[in-house]
Amino acid sequence: MAYLRNREIKWEILIFAALWCGGCVLGAVTAGLLGAASAALTGFLFLFCHFFLSYRRYRRIAELSERISRCMRGQEELFIAEQREGELSVLETEVQKMVLRLKNQADLLKNDKIYLSDSIADISHQIRTPLTTVNLIVSRLSVPELSAGKRRELLKELEEMLIHIDWLIQSLLKISRLDAGTIVMQREKVSVRELIRLSTEALEIPMELKGQTLRISCGSDVCFDGDIKWAKEALLNIVKNCMEHTPEGGFIKIEAEENPIYTEIVVQDNGPGISPEELPSLFERFFKGRNSAEKSVGIGLALAKMIIEEQKGRVSVENVPEGGAKFVIRFYKAVV
């Protein structure tokens, strides 16, 4: 029998058999035949009850072991409906929790693999597109009869494409590091006015060429606790997105204020706004709206969202009634 294969059961049988025999002998010596019979009956009833309860306990353990085995093979969902008291029931409950936790982890790993596969495919496509353009430019530059003016034009275009590829790779590396959790954000007092200055200085010339105006309203004492280097990256991507969707002669407005709960930075443009169906997907990785720039790859706003949330912040976007889009960034003074 499978029940008897347990070593502790064999030892219990030997010990109880020895005690039973000893009890019978002691009963016969002290009380004669009646005492021996009484000791034998009492010992038998005790042994029967003990081994019956032990058998039930080991059978429950064996059933639990078999269910766990089927669950690990994917043949059954582990579900223990019995509600009993005792150490064995506690063990069943803990095993159920462990199996459910392992199943959830397996599902998460499966989803991560799918996500990684999709991300690699998207990254491959995003890098392949500008590389194809670079190859075409290089092949045109190799034409001997190409004029000097056309050659300079192609070289300038080639330089722009290489800069774009470098930016793309750097952005993808930052996203992967944020995904892996290898970036440690600093927690220092950040002046929002200085943050706005650092974030917009690289966009001054492109905005000037488009005749756009930058309006800033921020007090010198507005601040939050965060990492100014990474916060600059996030705000730059948001302002750059507004600049690309603002018409020539338009404006971009940046306002900031601080209250006891959070520090808020609002970036607003007077462009065409965002279509309602695109609003929920705007911060998704590799999402490109209908009005996106030709060279847009859809990672700037996704990167900005990841950076802001890593610094215990939130970012949202909405359309304003008078026209244009409004991005609202909030850095909370406590985790919410």
Side-chain angles (χ1 to χ4, degrees), residues 20-50:
W20 189 18
C21 293
C24 292
V25 172
L26 183 62
V29 171
T30 57
L33 184 60
L34 183 61
S38 177
L41 180 60
T42 303
F44 175 77
L45 291 175
F46 177 78
L47 286 174
F48 177 79
C49 293
H50 172 75

Side-chain angles (χ1 to χ4, degrees), residues 89-102:
S89 296
V90 173
L91 174 63
E92 290 178 344
T93 302
E94 293 303 318
V95 169
Q96 182 185 24
K97 291 178 182 178
M98 181 186 68
V99 173
L100 292 175
R101 190 178 297 114
L102 290 174

Side-chain angles (χ1 to χ4, degrees), residues 45-63:
L45 291 175
F46 177 78
L47 286 174
F48 177 79
C49 293
H50 172 75
F51 286 108
F52 176 74
L53 295 175
S54 297
Y55 174 75
R56 289 187 60 189
R57 182 170 65 252
Y58 277 93
R59 187 177 64 180
R60 286 180 64 190
I61 294 175
E63 291 174 353

